[in-house]
Amino acid sequence: MIKPPGAAAATGWSWLRLIAVGAILAALAVLAVVHLSTVEPRVAPGQLPGILLGESGDRIERLVVRELGLPRLILALLAGAALGLSGAILQVVLRNPLASPGLLGVSAGASLAMAIILLLNAPVLFALHPVVALAGGLGGALIVLAASRGARTPVEAALTGVAVAALLNGIILAIIGLAASSGAVRVLFLFTVGNLSGRTWDHVRLVWPWVLVGIPAAFLLARGANVLQLDEDVTSSLGMPARRMRGVFVALAALLVGSIVAVAGPIAWVGLLTPHIARLIVVRPDARLLFPAATVIGALLLVASDVLAKVVIYPGELPVGLCTTLLAAPMILVLLRRPNLRLTR
């Protein structure tokens, strides 16, 4: 049977993509083991199964692995997945390869809301922190969308987002100046950089319902995101209310980012870089493939960054947001050197 032209190449590409997906999942599993074994005191990877099952290890080892290491790992996975997916959502539905939670004002708005809680002692229950961060993220995104409505290019829209984020961050600095407690200022500094140190099961319980609702919702709506990549006239002819649907996706991205900012701060770069790496694997401009790929790659990138945060200045520790910058910024510079940086290939 004669195969049509290009069939062999297509099969080759599919195998390459499968190998890439397998390599990413294997790398994520290895990094998860390394992440757990770099708790303090250190634990050998071979001891982890017994410690997690309560069959081996002393009391201190079981405590640090099960009550400190494991929740931090789960939070890193949830945060990376949420940030990677939110970046993919924003880039697809806004048709802007530079869109990200940081450049759209979502992270800055959520951070401002949390700064008010942390530094001005606003009477807000711990369980409601994600709601407050979500409201702040939505507010920041709406300001950027309104200000960039007349933008003619993705770069103009991105610069508008940078300006609004700078304004919101300036307000945060003003709030820091009003804070009387130096301890509170230090807490906010670590928060605004992005930090996973000291996170416990309480933080995981605060985040997981939002993330485990937001991620499946994005996957289910991915077909609509594909339609939004088309011209406005085409979406109108298909009967889709494009503006309303974009609003739904922006709110979904804000939900994912806001829940993470509430417990870990605005971790930078993950949302911007991850979708571009995912496109190198997916190739096709199909959100039904891009969204899951960005979710897994985001988790991989943040777990790798958190491992780096724990080992680079051992026995000290860096904020994970600084390590995402160290890992992602050079990759962004490489991407910017590509001749055609655009949303689809």
Side-chain angles (χ1 to χ4, degrees):
M1 182 177 180
I2 299 176
K3 294 183 179 180
T11 302
W13 272 109
S14 65
W15 277 110
L16 286 176
R17 287 198 292 271
L18 287 174
I19 292 171
V21 170
I24 289 172
L25 293 176
L28 185 57
V30 170
L31 281 171
V33 172
V34 174
H35 190 284
L36 277 179
S37 65
T38 52
V39 293
E40 187 59 37
R42 296 289 196 253
V43 174
Q47 293 180 281
L48 288 174
I51 292 173
L52 291 172
L53 295 173
E55 297 174 353
S56 64
D58 58 31
R59 178 175 172 273
I60 297 298
E61 289 175 335
R62 289 196 295 268
L63 177 66
V64 298
V65 171
R66 297 163 66 176
E67 300 301 324
L68 295 176
L70 190 57
R72 179 169 174 170
L73 171 61
I74 292 174
L75 194 58
L77 291 168
L78 292 174
L83 294 171
L85 176 57
S86 64
I89 290 171
L90 294 173
Q91 290 184 16
V92 168
V93 304
L94 299 178
R95 294 186 293 180
N96 186 340
L98 299 177
S100 71
L103 294 181
L104 199 65
V106 176
S107 294
S111 298
L112 176 58
M114 291 303 299
I116 293 172
I117 293 176
L118 293 174
L119 289 184
L120 301 185
N121 296 318
V124 178
L125 294 174
F126 180 69
L128 295 179
H129 283 190
V131 178
V132 175
L134 168 60
L138 277 175
L142 291 175
I143 293 171
V144 172
L145 291 175
S148 62
R149 181 165 295 179
R152 292 166 294 182
T153 66
V155 174
E156 288 185 13
L159 290 175
T160 302
V162 170
V164 172
L167 173 62
L168 296 176
N169 286 324
I171 297 174
I172 293 175
L173 291 176
I175 294 174
I176 290 176
L178 295 174
S181 170
S182 59
V185 172
R186 173 173 171 76
V187 168
L188 186 66
F189 167 74
L190 292 174
F191 176 85
T192 53
V193 174
N195 189 39
L196 291 174
S197 178
R199 300 308 186 262
T200 65
W201 288 112
D202 289 337
H203 297 92
V204 175
R205 283 189 284 268
L206 198 65
V207 166
W208 76 261
W210 300 84
V211 175
L212 295 189
V213 167
I215 289 178
F219 291 174
L220 291 172
L221 295 173
R223 187 183 296 272
N226 283 338
V227 178
L228 290 176
Q229 296 184 69
L230 305 174
D231 292 334
E232 297 291 340
D233 294 338
V234 178
T235 58
S236 299
S237 66
L238 293 174
M240 173 177 283
R243 182 174 297 179
R244 186 181 306 169
M245 196 66 181
R246 279 198 182 90
V248 170
F249 275 109
V250 170
L252 192 56
L255 181 149
L256 290 168
V257 175
S259 63
I260 299 305
V261 170
V263 299
I267 300 173
W269 295 103
V270 178
L272 177 61
L273 174 65
T274 297
H276 292 286
I277 299 177
R279 285 190 195 93
L280 297 177
I281 298 171
V282 172
V283 180
R284 293 165 49 194
D286 189 344
R288 293 173 299 178
L289 300 175
L290 180 65
F291 286 179
T295 301
V296 176
I297 294 170
L300 174 68
L301 181 59
L302 193 54
V303 172
S305 298
D306 203 32
V307 170
L308 185 63
K310 294 196 289 182
V311 302
V312 69
I313 59 169
Y314 180 79
E317 185 173 319
L318 292 174
V320 70
L322 177 58
C323 292
T324 58
T325 301
L326 294 174
L327 283 179
M331 299 181 193
I332 290 289
L333 293 176
V334 172
L335 286 172
L336 289 175
R337 295 182 66 86
R338 292 170 61 197
N340 292 308
L341 177 64
R342 58 181 187 268
L343 183 61
T344 59
R345 297 188 64 187

